[in-house]
Amino acid sequence: MKKNIWAIIPARSGSKGIKEKNIKLLNKRPLFSYTILSAIKSKVFNKVLVLTDSIKFAKMAKKYGAEIPFRRPKFLSDDYTSGASVITHSVKFLIKEGYQFDYVCCVYPPNPFLQISDLKKGFKKIKSKTFNYVF
């Protein structure tokens, strides 16, 4: 049976270092679009979700093929919120809403040089059950 594998890309709008870094343009495209498209092209994932607190980010993410199942709460969008907290909240929320998946993979957004081969290698390691998580 084919597994249901989802990528979650946490992309908040409130970056302090570089304002709105996830949508800064690189070669006329928002920075996070490279990550979205790499995740889609990898064919590792059945769904690519962007979790954001911003309507503007959500619209841009949809343009590049991501799904936005809900808006990320403000209390999970500050400088001190860990990626693990965002993913845990998201997984619990999605399960409560009736979504079903076998794997959830967190892929960080500001990564224009993300290689599809790295996504495949990372997922292969998780699937082997030798690791609990892979960065």
Side-chain angles (χ1 to χ4, degrees):
M1 176 178 13
K2 184 167 170 48
K3 297 288 185 184
N4 197 8
I5 308 155
W6 292 11
I8 293 181
I9 301 172
R12 73 182 180 99
S13 63
S15 176
K16 300 289 186 251
I18 301 172
K19 188 173 168 51
E20 295 190 325
K21 77 175 168 212
N22 290 315
I23 61 167
K24 287 288 185 201
L25 297 183
L26 176 66
N27 199 22
K28 299 181 183 175
R29 285 187 18 211
L31 194 56
F32 74 172
S33 72
Y34 292 90
T35 302
I36 294 166
L37 292 172
S38 289
I40 292 168
K41 288 178 187 174
S42 75
K43 302 212 186 294
V44 169
F45 308 105
N46 304 88
K47 290 184 183 280
V48 175
L49 312 177
V50 169
L51 301 180
T52 183
D53 58 328
S54 165
I55 293 170
K56 179 179 175 181
F57 281 31
K59 286 179 182 177
M60 293 175 100
K62 281 182 183 179
K63 178 180 173 185
Y64 289 95
E67 296 180 37
I68 294 54
F70 63 92
R71 220 158 81 216
R72 184 172 160 177
K74 288 290 182 192
F75 75 89
L76 289 173
S77 299
D78 64 21
D79 288 343
Y80 306 104
T81 302
S82 70
S85 298
V86 173
I87 300 305
T88 299
H89 170 271
S90 302
V91 167
K92 286 179 179 179
F93 179 88
L94 292 166
I95 289 170
K96 185 177 147 201
E97 293 296 310
Y99 293 95
Q100 296 180 350
F101 39 83
D102 298 297
Y103 294 94
V104 171
C105 302
C106 175
V107 183
Y108 288 106
N111 193 352
F113 304 112
L114 178 63
Q115 299 293 308
I116 290 171
S117 60
D118 290 333
L119 291 171
K120 289 180 178 183
K121 284 180 209 171
F123 183 69
K124 186 176 178 181
K125 286 184 180 195
I126 284 293
K127 206 165 89 174
S128 74
K129 301 198 188 317
T130 305
F131 303 91
N132 292 324
Y133 55 89
V134 175
F135 284 93

